[in-house]
């Protein structure tokens, strides 16, 4: 459904060019929950902003292809992109309080999406629809919530509002960028539960971004591991956990004490994206590194299991 | 809490502030000048003077006089204005409508144009549209309002008056309104009255008269508002919810208007009160130039004639207006931002103070004596409370009290040092002071030599980055260039404009003029002397025969002198007070903030004017005192706010946990981190102080009658405006505008360069 190929995104800042993404490729299939994991700063959010063309003015997609059901998003007109945003691919963000407009009533913010992507005759119909989506996300007292301002709701409620806002445009796909990081544990599981239900009920395709491997194990069908702006491995979830191929993935899983812990560090430091390592970006920390890794960046090879490494086979 | 309750509460809280303002006006009338002086002539006998003193209650002790003053104010007796032979309260009532109409229209125009421009500018961030709007806005802050008014008057109302049909002054056409077709003036706002009477002719006449004064007045507020709006839009556009709005598929225009602008309005609105204060300041000058029969023009007349009752009445009223405007702003803010808790947490102390203030007013309204008694009671209670608190503290840690005392010894020492420093500067020892300061710095440097050396490499990198950013900021470069050019002119003054053979004091124009050569047109570069003896006036001369070129060149020294002294001593005071207030917080901070509240409640130019006018001392020194009094509160607040944030930074807390003394923490950690906003504000204020100085000079206050000062020169030059002698007001005003523009540009650029958040 959503296919990203060799995406290269850079930021032109005062300090120099930040090479945030260097050849990111993955495919999200219809009806699945696809996980994208990686340490903080590895470029997960930049990938999603590139997809919807929401990069800040300093950022630019250098090359690559992004297609949604065969249609190239990078070549689409701005007005077509506006239809796609919210109408076909909706997004929810990490910190719901800062992602909601503080001076606008929650209902009005949802209604905006409804007006944009739904052909409803009048304001009354829109109001009904707003309450309907608030009900869909299991919001207690939808009518009351619609009249509230974001700061009057709890964190879990805010994130439900964000999801409702995303659902309001009846999208086919949902990109959830660390939807639970800012929430406390019990509410996290409620929100994740909700995402799973929505996938089953509405047949929603979900691209779930997280750095929590527990969430991945619990929720995702397939998963891609990202490291410093590149995808290093893609696999169905069970296979990834039972048989990790890439040294980085192995490091991640080895460092995992329990089943649901956030990523623990692999020895060494995350590279500076202003001056990334030559060749394979992981080679300075890699136990298997050989000369070739310093010179040449590995490609992502394989079908159902893909690995980007010179030393291991998919 | 309901909105009206909130409004009521805010009203109650303005009472202490207004009481503070009356304290200022009261001390102005009593401490600065002799209150009976205006009534005394050579023929007054000592007995009569005594009688006068009695009549004005001057034989009573000061507290009694103060409460009598308050009681009189409450009963609407604001004194008697000799100048116009009318009670002050009546005069204010009559003239208020004219000022209000002008100010409201200007405000509306300013806000209505500034908001869209600010939004547009931020959307086009760093593109040429943005640069032009920024320049336009900065220029608006930099032009002296009286100069702009003169230019508009000269070109639009005088030179092209036949085409534009714009009047050259006054509020309406007396022939139409008073004789030909008088209409009922119900509100005193002529536009409204004309509408109520349904007369298009009257409306048009009033509007034509309003047009230029309102434009003049609006430009300055518009400029401030554009800058505010642009700044907060730039902040808001980076917020997450703006990205959310885009991710919804909202068109960019709606994202900007419905989401970004709506939020950016909030910080802008909180500062609109400030813009209104600027409007009140500006109205003094604007009304004078357009002979607008409002409060401002009346106040200036009163000041020129030492009509103390009128001056103080006006000052107080301006303070009230300003406080009221801020109240309106607060309410608007509460309405705009749903996150504001109307019942917000107000400390008990504040409630008590507000309540006591109201009580005091009520009691005084009924009886002066009772008010006095209550006042005494409160004062003693306060003193007792303070003593008790101190005693309590002492009891709690009496063991190391002496040690603690020694630890705090630096505070009074620092205060003493600051006073000495500031007085030293004003008394003409500035070179010595600078020298002393340099020596102190050098000593400190040698003591910490290793630290200093260690910091060189990172500093160098930082400097390189700053230089790079400066190079990419054309407006800041322009500012730097103009500032350096003006500095050069001030340095080279003796060569650029040589003294007359027998002249002793270069700053005194009286010693440098030729009475026969008044109103000479400029000869620019070709001053060959071929056109007769009057040649040689590069930029022409004024009606008094003062050489404008000479005045501008030497005036640059006056401006530099005043600006540097006021900024340096003001910064010093502000840094000391602000850092202590912000670092210690608590009660010290509370008191400091209430004091600044009171000073900030009177628009700056008006307070400075009142001080200079009431003291009646025309020397530059007094002028600088007045400017300092006006300037320190704002400065202090900036420093204090910064100190407050720095105080809670992790490394400061770490230092405190490690047991460093307050002295050490303040000087090693807090102070250095407060410097960026201080440097920016000080740079900007180098410009704004010269603007106020010029405004005072233009109104002929401060610095002697013939001192070479730019504002004064404009004042001299405007006299023959309607004879077509444009050069006499144009060139000195241009110098002021360039000066202010240079420092505003520089300050704005510095903000971009020094602020690490903007390192993209
Ligand atoms: N506006 C920007 N300017 C410059 N560099 C940027 C910008 N936005 C992101 N980057 C860089 O791109 C890299 C990837 O950032 P991104 O926000 O995608 O990380 P992330 O994987 O989403 O991390 P997190 O888990 O913390 O959200 C970072 O190293 C960051 O420095
Ligand atoms: Mg992210």
């Amino acid at each position: 459904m959503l296919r990203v190929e060799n995406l290269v995104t850079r930021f032109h800042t005062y300090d120099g060019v930040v090479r945030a993404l260097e050849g990111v490729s993955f495919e999200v299939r219809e009806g699945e929950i696809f996980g994208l994991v990686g340490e903080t700063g590895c470029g997960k959010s930049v990938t999603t902003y590139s997809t919807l063309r929401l990069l800040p003015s300093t950022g630019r997609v250098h090359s690559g292809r992004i297609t949604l059901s065969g249609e190239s998003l990078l070549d689409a007109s701005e007005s077509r992109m506006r239809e796609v945003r919210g109408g076909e691919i909706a997004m929810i963000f990490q910190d719901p309080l800062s992602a909601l407009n503080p001076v606008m009533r929650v209902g009005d913010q949802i209604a905006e999406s409804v007006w944009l992507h739904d052909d409803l005759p009048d304001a009354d119909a829109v109001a009904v629809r707003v309450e309907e989506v608030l009900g869909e996300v299991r919001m207690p007292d939808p009518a009351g919530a619609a009249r509230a301002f974001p700061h009057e709701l709890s964190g879990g409620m805010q994130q439900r509002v964000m999801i409702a806002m995303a659902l309001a445009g009846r999208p086919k796909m949902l990109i959830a960028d660390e939807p639970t990081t800012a929430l406390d544990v019990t509410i996290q599981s409620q929100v994740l539960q909700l995402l799973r239900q929505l996938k089953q009920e509405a047949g929603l395709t979900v691209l779930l971004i997280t750095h929590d491997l527990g969430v991945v194990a619990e929720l995702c069908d397939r998963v891609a591991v990202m490291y410093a702006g590149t995808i290093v491995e893609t696999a169905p979830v069970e296979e990834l956990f039972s048989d990790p191929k890439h040294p980085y993935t192995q490091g991640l899983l080895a460092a995992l004490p329990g089943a649901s812990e956030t990523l623990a560090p692999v020895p060494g430091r995350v590279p500076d994206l202003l001056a990334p390592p030559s060749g394979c970006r992981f080679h300075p920390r890699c136990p298997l590194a050989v000369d070739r890794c310093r010179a040449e960046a590995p490609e992502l090879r394989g079908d159902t299991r893909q690995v980007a490494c010179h030393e291991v086979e998919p | 809490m309901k909105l009206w309750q909130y409004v009521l509460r805010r009203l109650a809280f303005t009472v202490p502030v207004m009481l503070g303002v009356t304290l200022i006006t009261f001390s102005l009338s009593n401490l600065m000048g002799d209150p009976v002086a205006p009534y005394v002539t050579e023929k007054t006998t000592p007995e009569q003077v005594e009688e006068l003193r009695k009549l004005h209650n001057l034989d009573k002790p000061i507290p009694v006089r103060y409460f009598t003053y308050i009681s009189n104010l409450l009963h609407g007796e604001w004194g008697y204005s000799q100048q116009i032979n009318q009670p002050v309260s009546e005069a204010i009532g009559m003239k208020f409508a004219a000022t209000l109409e002008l100010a409201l229209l200007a405000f509306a125009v300013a806000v209505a144009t500034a908001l869209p421009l600010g939004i547009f500018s931020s959307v086009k961030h760093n593109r040429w549209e943005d640069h032009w709007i920024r320049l336009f806005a900065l220029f608006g802050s930099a032009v002296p309002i009286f100069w702009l008014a003169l230019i508009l008057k000269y070109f639009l109302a005088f030179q092209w008056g036949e085409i534009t049909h714009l009047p050259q002054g006054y509020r309406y056409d007396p022939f139409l309104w008073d004789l030909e077709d008088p209409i009922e003036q119900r509100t005193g706002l002529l536009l409204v009255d004309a509408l109520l009477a349904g007369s298009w002719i009257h409306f048009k006449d009033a509007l034509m008269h309003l047009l230029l004064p309102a434009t003049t007045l609006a430009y300055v507020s518009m400029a401030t508002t554009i800058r505010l709006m642009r700044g907060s839009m730039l902040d808001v556009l980076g917020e997450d919810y703006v990205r959310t709005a885009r991710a919804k598929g909202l068109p960019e225009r709606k994202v900007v208007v419905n989401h970004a602008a709506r939020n950016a309005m909030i910080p802008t609105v909180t500062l609109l009160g400030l813009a209104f204060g600027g409007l009140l300041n500006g109205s003094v000058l604007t009304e004078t130039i357009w002979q607008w029969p409002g409060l401002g023009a009346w106040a200036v007349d009163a000041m020129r004639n030492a009509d103390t009752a009128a001056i103080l009445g006006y000052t107080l009223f301006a303070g009230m207006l300003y406080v009221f405007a801020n109240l309106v702003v607060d309410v608007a803010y509460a309405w705009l931002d749903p996150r504001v808790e109307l019942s917000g947490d107000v400390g008990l102390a504040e409630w008590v103070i507000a309540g006591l203030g109201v009580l005091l007013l009520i009691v005084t309204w009924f009886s002066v004596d009772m008010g006095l008694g209550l006042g005494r009671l409160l004062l003693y209670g306060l003193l007792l409370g303070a003593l008790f608190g101190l005693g309590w503290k002492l009891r709690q840690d009496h063991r190391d009290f002496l040690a603690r005392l020694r630890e705090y010894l630096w505070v009074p020492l620092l205060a003493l040092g600051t006073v000495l420093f500031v007085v030293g500067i004003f008394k003409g020892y500035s070179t010595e002071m600078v020298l002393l300061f340099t020596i102190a710095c050098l000593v400190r440097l040698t003591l910490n030599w290793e630290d200093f050396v260690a910091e060189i490499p990172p500093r160098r990198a930082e400097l390189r980055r700053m230089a790079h950013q400066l190079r990419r900021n054309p407006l800041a470069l322009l500012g730097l260039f103009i500032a350096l050019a003006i500095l050069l002119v001030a340095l080279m003054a003796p060569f650029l404009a040589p003294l007359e053979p027998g002249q002793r004091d270069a700053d005194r124009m009286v010693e440098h003029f030729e009475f026969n050569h008044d109103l000479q047109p400029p000869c620019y570069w070709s001053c060959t002397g071929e056109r007769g003896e009057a040649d040689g006036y590069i930029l022409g001369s004024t009606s008094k025969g003062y050489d404008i070129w000479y005045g501008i060149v030497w005036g640059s020294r006056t401006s530099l002198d005043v600006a540097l002294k006021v900024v340096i001593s003001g910064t010093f005071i502000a840094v000391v007070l602000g850092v202590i207030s912000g670092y210690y917080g608590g009660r010290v901070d509370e008191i400091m903030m209430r004091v600044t509240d009171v000073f900030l409640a009177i628009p700056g130019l008006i307070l400075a004017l009142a001080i200079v006018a009431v003291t009646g001392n025309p020397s530059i020194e007094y002028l600088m005192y007045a400017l300092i009094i006006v300037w320190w509160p704002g400065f202090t607040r900036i420093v204090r706010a910064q100190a407050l944030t720095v105080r809670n930074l992790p490394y400061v807390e770490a230092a405190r946990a490690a047991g460093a003394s307050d002295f050490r923490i303040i000087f090693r950690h807090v102070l250095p981190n407060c410097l960026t906003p201080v440097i920016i504000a000080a740079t900007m204020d180098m410009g704004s102080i010269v603007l106020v100085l010029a405004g005072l000079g233009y109104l002929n206050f401060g610095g002697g009658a013939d001192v070479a000062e730019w504002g004064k020169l404009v004042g001299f030059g405007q006299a023959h405006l309607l004879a077509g002698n444009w050069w006499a007001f144009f060139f000195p005003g241009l110098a002021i505008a360039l000066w202010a523009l240079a420092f505003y540009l520089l300050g704005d650029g510095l903000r971009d360069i020094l602020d690490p958040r903007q390192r993209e």
Side-chain angles (χ1 to χ4, degrees), chain A residues 14 49 54 58 82 85-86 93 98-104 109 112-113 116-117 149 151 162 165, chain B residues 240-241 243-244 246-251 258-259 262-263 266 336-339 465 468-469 759-760:
Chain A
Y14 163 74
Y49 300 153
L54 288 173
T58 47
R82 284 204 299 273
R85 292 182 199 133
F93 300 99
S98 64
L100 287 168
N101 188 340
V103 302
M104 214 169 174
Q109 299 191 46
E112 261 185 346
S113 292
L116 280 167
H117 303 292
F149 285 102
H151 71 276
M162 277 302 289
M165 195 152 74
Chain B
D240 284 356
Y241 52 77
R243 196 184 49 206
T244 308
R246 289 199 180 112
K248 254 184 226 179
L250 218 54
N258 295 0
H259 290 268
R262 179 79 209 285
N263 278 284
I266 293 168
L336 265 179
D337 190 345
R339 283 164 300 182
R465 185 186 64 76
H468 178 89
Q469 283 208 312
R759 286 192 185 174
E760 263 182 13

Side-chain angles (χ1 to χ4, degrees), chain B residues 78 84 86-99 294-295 298 309-310 312-318:
Chain B
W78 288 44
I84 50 170
Q86 207 179 11
V88 171
S89 47
E90 212 172 276
I92 289 179
M94 263 178 52
K95 290 167 183 296
F96 180 47
T99 299
L295 291 174
W298 168 63
L312 298 179
Y314 173 70
T315 311
L316 187 63
F317 188 69

Side-chain angles (χ1 to χ4, degrees), chain A residues 9-14 16-21 36-49 55-59 94 177-178 181 209-211 226 228-229 270-274, chain B residues 243 760:
Chain A
T9 298
R10 291 180 185 157
F11 291 96
H12 299 263
T13 67
Y14 163 74
V17 181
V18 178
R19 293 157 191 277
L21 300 185
L36 188 60
V37 288
E39 285 165 291
T40 175
C42 69
K44 305 182 295 285
S45 300
V46 172
T47 309
T48 62
Y49 300 153
L55 288 169
S57 57
T58 47
Q94 182 168 343
D177 189 350
E178 307 193 22
T181 314
I209 290 169
T210 178
H211 46 221
M226 233 181 140
V270 181
D272 177 9
L273 294 184
L274 273 170
Chain B
R243 196 184 49 206
E760 263 182 13

Side-chain angles (χ1 to χ4, degrees), chain B residues 396-631:
Chain B
Q396 271 187 334
D397 45 23
H398 63 278
R399 262 165 302 131
D400 43 20
F401 181 72
L402 276 181
R404 290 277 304 275
L405 208 62
R406 210 166 309 132
E407 209 176 281
Y408 286 118
L409 208 60
W410 60 273
V411 176
L413 281 181
L414 192 66
L416 192 71
T418 309
V419 172
L420 283 182
F421 181 76
V422 171
V423 173
I425 281 188
F426 286 173
K427 290 287 177 195
Y429 297 104
S430 38
T431 343
E432 285 83 350
M433 288 295 150
V434 169
L435 220 73
L436 254 172
F437 195 71
T438 322
I439 291 175
C441 281
L442 281 179
V443 167
R444 212 196 125 202
L445 230 162
T446 33
L447 286 180
N448 297 315
W449 185 247
E450 262 120 64
D451 287 356
F452 178 72
V453 171
E455 273 184 22
I456 288 181
R459 285 280 152 86
R460 264 232 299 275
E462 190 70 10
L463 276 180
R464 257 207 305 277
R465 185 186 64 76
M466 280 168 17
H468 178 89
Q469 283 208 312
L470 190 65
R471 246 175 286 139
R472 293 189 346 163
N473 193 334
L475 290 184
L477 271 185
L478 180 68
L480 189 65
F481 177 75
I482 302 176
L484 286 180
I486 293 175
L487 229 60
L488 203 68
V489 168
L491 267 180
M492 306 283 284
F495 303 102
L496 291 173
L499 302 185
E500 292 287 303
Q503 194 173 347
R504 284 159 304 157
D505 189 348
D507 283 341
R508 289 177 49 83
M509 304 278 294
V510 164
E511 296 181 0
H512 187 97
F513 85 117
E514 192 63 61
F515 193 67
N516 294 329
H517 295 165
D518 56 353
L519 292 176
Q520 294 301 318
C523 61
Y524 306 116
W525 313 114
S526 60
C527 304
T528 53
E530 279 170 21
R531 280 181 289 164
E533 54 177 3
D535 212 349
Y537 289 94
I538 299 177
L539 297 179
S541 70
T542 72
S543 57
K544 290 184 180 163
Y546 296 153
D547 181 352
I548 290 172
W549 168 245
Y550 180 87
I552 289 181
V553 169
W554 286 94
S556 69
R557 286 200 166 188
T558 312
S559 299
L560 195 65
D561 186 50
V562 172
L564 272 182
K565 283 178 180 170
V566 172
V567 165
I568 289 179
S569 45
T571 310
F572 216 84
I573 296 175
V575 165
V576 169
L577 291 182
V579 165
I580 290 179
S581 172
Y583 178 73
Y584 285 111
R587 217 140 302 154
V588 181
D589 187 41
E590 195 58 39
I591 294 172
M592 196 80 82
M593 285 307 103
R594 294 295 83 78
V595 174
T596 52
D597 269 349
V598 170
F599 278 90
L600 289 173
I602 308 175
L605 179 71
I606 293 173
L607 182 58
L609 267 173
I611 295 171
V612 174
V614 170
T615 52
N617 186 329
S619 71
I620 281 269
E621 190 192 323
Y622 262 73
L623 199 109
M624 287 195 282
Y625 284 132
L627 288 177
I628 279 285
I629 291 176
V630 170
W631 239 268

